[in-house]
Amino acid sequence: PVSTFSNLMTEGTQLCRLGEYDKALICYNNALQLREGDRDCLAARSNCYLKLGDTENALKDAEASLQNDKTFFKGLYQKAEALYTMCDFEFALVHYHRGHRLRPDQEKFKLGIEKCQEAIVNCVGSPSSVKLEIKKDVNFISRQAEVQKANEKLSIKLTKAQKRAKKQKPVRNPKIERQLLGDLYDDRLYLEELLKDKDLMESSTKKGTTVGDLVSSGISYLEKRREFWQQQEPIYARVRERRLRQQRWIREKKLKPSEVGRYITKSMEDIDMLLTGEDPEESCKKAKRLLRTIQEWSDEDVPNKNELIGNLHSCIGNAQLEMGQVEAALKSHRTDLEVARQNNLPDAVSRALENIGRVHARTGKFQKAIDAWEEKIPLAKSSLEKTWLFHEIGQCYLELNRAEEARYCGQKSLQTADEEGNVKWQYRAIVLVAQAEVKLKNYWSAIINFEKALEKAKFLHNDAARAAIIAALDDVSRSFVKGLNKTD
């Protein structure tokens, strides 16, 4: 099928989130063919290039996204990130500041400013401030000369600091290098071992390049990466970063009650939207993050704290079930039930029992599903809810070949559906009764009920249902005729 621009963008974003940047790049390229010069797509592709290590194309796309609007904050951020990755810290800092002025609400610009400042200080050092003592009787020219002299001293200091930074040999502490290089540290050790094999190093490839040159260029690349990562995030800076995160966390905990309410409401809406939008994994992650946050807050900050905790366990369980994590889903829903019972929350108890029954039914444990749903029946608030419950319990009895109980539940479901006047559920309940009658070999009764169901299907204009009912009627009619022949 022909993909639309929005579909390609969504698919590219999802692939980036999964770390499949090569595939995401193809999506963004195709999207730009449909909508050339789209700034959001250019910014997204710039980020993709950056993840792939192609800083030049990342910078080109970022600049292209800013061509018509210099205040486009996504483009500013991507340009700053590209410049930062290219070790052009000063220009990156300028763009982080521009973005921060435009969008002070975006935390990523603040973090960009901080990491640029740290990288610059780590490269050239932090010069001590120059204090000028100006006496009242010094004329303007002498003051000007004094300032110029101080500036010269400052520039000399900076130059010396830069030279010292260049002359400094990289630290070869294995622990620090392993921290900086990560998985690449073992690759570097392997390349260094290869250098000891002189015969191998002197051999050449088909293109005429010696193996020694290739190995040396690989080590050189890893060395540059190590230096960059040391500038980007020095070991000492990581402790500071954790401290800053804790400080931000403390500030977040001191939100006003109205802000807390808005934050929780917005987060719950996002969790629900992600689940209904077929992204259960992200929904589950967001729900778990919100759960940890709420558990840290006091009852004064969140008056309905226990209710929210149970609700979040329910959301997590639903997402886990969609991802096929059945045992984890059952555990989450049982936690929801436990919290609801401890805090006397009947609506939450009803919700948890419904979800537990749903998990058991999904895994074929029909008796356990029946037990959970039967416990929920007294808590049901509407006839429609009871209609659904009786129907699902009846289906489980049918799966267990307990046709009489299934027929009884179908009749109860039909009764409550009649009270609501809901034709859709009337149709489903009648079909359930008919199926139970077939199991009991009451073929004539089954035919009558299937004909009633056929009328409901016609009223609903459901062609697929009509076809299924007609096929079922044919099967039952043949069985009915065979029964009559045997009697004769």
Side-chain angles (χ1 to χ4, degrees):
V2 178
S3 296
T4 63
F5 175 81
S6 57
N7 285 345
L8 287 167
M9 283 292 291
T10 304
E11 188 180 354
T13 304
Q14 184 67 17
L15 288 167
C16 269
R17 196 176 291 155
L18 295 171
E20 297 182 13
Y21 303 114
D22 290 322
K23 294 179 181 178
L25 188 61
I26 294 169
C27 289
Y28 292 135
N29 289 336
N30 292 335
L32 283 168
Q33 286 178 3
L34 295 174
R35 195 179 295 178
E36 188 177 355
D38 183 86
R39 63 181 192 176
D40 288 300
C41 190
L42 284 167
R45 192 171 72 170
S46 172
N47 179 51
C48 196
Y49 275 130
L50 209 56
K51 297 293 184 185
L52 291 166
D54 190 349
T55 52
E56 290 185 8
N57 279 320
L59 184 59
K60 284 179 184 176
D61 275 355
E63 289 175 338
S65 71
L66 292 166
Q67 192 171 1
N68 297 323
D69 182 6
K70 300 296 182 186
T71 62
F72 179 48
F73 79 96
K74 290 181 183 177
L76 279 171
Y77 180 73
Q78 285 307 132
K79 186 172 181 180
E81 285 285 284
L83 289 167
Y84 179 78
T85 308
M86 296 167 80
C87 297
D88 201 343
F89 302 123
E90 291 83 359
F91 281 108
L93 183 61
V94 169
H95 286 84
Y96 282 128
H97 272 296
R98 284 179 186 170
H100 182 57
R101 281 197 299 272
L102 289 168
R103 293 295 299 270
D105 58 309
Q106 293 286 323
E107 187 70 18
K108 58 188 178 183
F109 285 116
K110 291 182 185 178
L111 294 174
I113 292 167
E114 287 177 12
K115 70 183 182 182
C116 267
Q117 288 173 342
E118 283 185 7
I120 292 168
V121 168
N122 196 47
C123 284
V124 299
S126 180
S128 57
S129 58
V130 179
K131 295 180 181 179
L132 302 178
E133 293 183 3
I134 302 173
K135 297 179 181 179
K136 292 181 181 179
D137 57 345
V138 180
N139 58 29
F140 174 75
I141 296 172
S142 64
R143 284 201 304 274
Q144 202 172 28
E146 200 170 337
V147 171
Q148 188 177 356
K149 189 176 180 181
N151 284 337
E152 287 175 0
K153 286 182 179 179
L154 180 60
S155 64
I156 291 168
K157 278 187 177 183
L158 284 172
T159 305
K160 287 180 178 178
Q162 287 172 343
K163 286 180 179 178
R164 283 199 303 273
K166 286 181 180 178
K167 287 180 181 179
Q168 281 179 349
K169 293 182 179 179
V171 178
R172 294 308 303 270
N173 186 321
K175 289 183 179 179
I176 294 175
E177 288 212 351
R178 186 175 286 278
Q179 274 187 295
L180 291 168
L181 288 173
D183 294 336
L184 296 175
Y185 179 73
D186 293 331
D187 295 333
R188 175 171 177 160
L189 291 180
Y190 175 72
L191 291 174
E192 287 176 345
E193 283 295 320
L194 285 180
L195 281 176
K196 296 175 183 178
D197 189 342
K198 293 182 179 179
D199 294 334
L200 177 64
M201 293 302 103
E202 290 174 0
S203 61
S204 301
T205 63
K206 291 181 180 179
K207 293 182 179 180
T209 310
T210 63
V211 175
D213 289 339
L214 290 173
V215 172
S216 298
S217 64
I219 293 172
S220 176
Y221 170 77
L222 291 174
E223 182 62 29
K224 287 177 182 177
R225 289 291 86 193
R226 187 198 68 79
E227 289 174 2
F228 169 71
W229 285 323
Q230 189 171 25
Q231 292 166 4
Q232 181 188 28
E233 193 179 15
I235 301 301
Y236 70 83
R238 298 176 192 185
V239 179
R240 180 174 177 272
E241 189 180 343
R242 284 197 296 271
R243 187 165 62 250
L244 288 171
R245 280 202 300 267
Q246 289 172 354
Q247 289 172 358
R248 283 196 296 273
W249 168 243
I250 292 167
R251 287 199 300 271
E252 284 178 6
K253 286 203 296 184
K254 294 180 179 178
L255 293 172
K256 295 177 182 177
S258 59
E259 292 174 339
V260 170
R262 283 197 296 272
Y263 169 71
I264 291 172
T265 303
K266 179 67 170 61
S267 298
M268 292 299 291
E269 287 173 356
D270 291 344
I271 290 164
D272 186 55
M273 184 179 69
L274 286 166
L275 186 59
T276 54
E278 298 183 358
D279 193 354
E281 186 178 357
E282 193 60 32
S283 174
C284 187
K285 287 179 182 177
K286 194 170 184 66
K288 285 180 177 179
R289 285 197 297 269
L290 182 60
L291 179 62
R292 287 194 295 269
T293 303
I294 289 175
Q295 285 173 335
E296 291 291 331
W297 283 337
S298 65
D299 293 337
E300 294 178 0
D301 294 328
V302 189
N304 58 338
K305 180 178 176 179
N306 292 323
E307 186 178 350
L308 275 169
I309 288 172
N311 197 356
L312 283 167
H313 279 294
S314 176
C315 293
I316 291 166
N318 289 332
Q320 287 168 333
L321 184 61
E322 289 300 315
M323 290 188 288
Q325 300 171 7
V326 181
E327 292 301 323
L330 191 59
K331 185 178 179 181
S332 296
H333 289 311
R334 281 174 176 164
T335 304
D336 178 26
L337 181 61
E338 186 181 344
V339 171
R341 283 175 172 164
Q342 286 175 355
N343 295 280
N344 192 24
L345 301 167
D347 289 345
V349 170
S350 178
R351 176 190 65 216
L353 288 170
E354 177 183 328
N355 288 325
I356 288 169
R358 201 189 303 274
V359 175
H360 285 312
R362 180 79 69 89
T363 54
K365 297 176 181 177
F366 299 112
Q367 187 57 55
K368 289 185 176 181
I370 290 167
D371 295 339
W373 282 332
E374 284 183 342
E375 190 178 348
K376 174 182 164 65
I377 290 173
L379 300 171
K381 288 190 172 183
S382 67
S383 297
L384 192 60
E385 192 174 359
K386 288 180 181 177
T387 299
W388 176 84
L389 277 169
F390 282 122
H391 180 271
E392 295 303 301
I393 292 168
Q395 286 286 359
C396 287
Y397 277 128
L398 207 59
E399 292 289 341
L400 293 169
N401 291 318
R402 294 164 64 179
E404 288 186 6
E405 289 96 329
R407 180 176 61 184
Y408 171 77
C409 289
Q411 290 167 348
K412 292 289 289 182
S413 180
L414 180 58
Q415 182 184 339
T416 51
D418 289 339
E419 291 173 10
E420 283 286 324
N422 191 304
V423 180
K424 190 176 180 180
W425 278 106
Q426 286 172 348
Y427 160 76
R428 290 178 176 176
I430 293 168
V431 170
L432 176 60
V433 172
Q435 288 172 331
E437 295 288 15
V438 172
K439 290 270 186 182
L440 293 166
K441 297 184 178 180
N442 297 330
Y443 299 121
W444 182 246
S445 179
I447 289 169
I448 292 170
N449 280 289
F450 275 130
E451 286 177 346
K452 289 179 182 178
L454 186 59
E455 292 300 316
K456 299 292 182 184
K458 288 177 181 177
F459 182 82
L460 292 168
H461 303 289
N462 191 330
D463 294 334
R466 285 170 63 188
I469 296 296
I470 290 168
L473 273 169
D474 288 341
D475 291 340
V476 176
S477 298
R478 281 195 291 270
S479 299
F480 181 64
V481 170
K482 283 181 183 178
L484 289 175
N485 291 334
K486 285 181 180 178
T487 305
D488 293 342

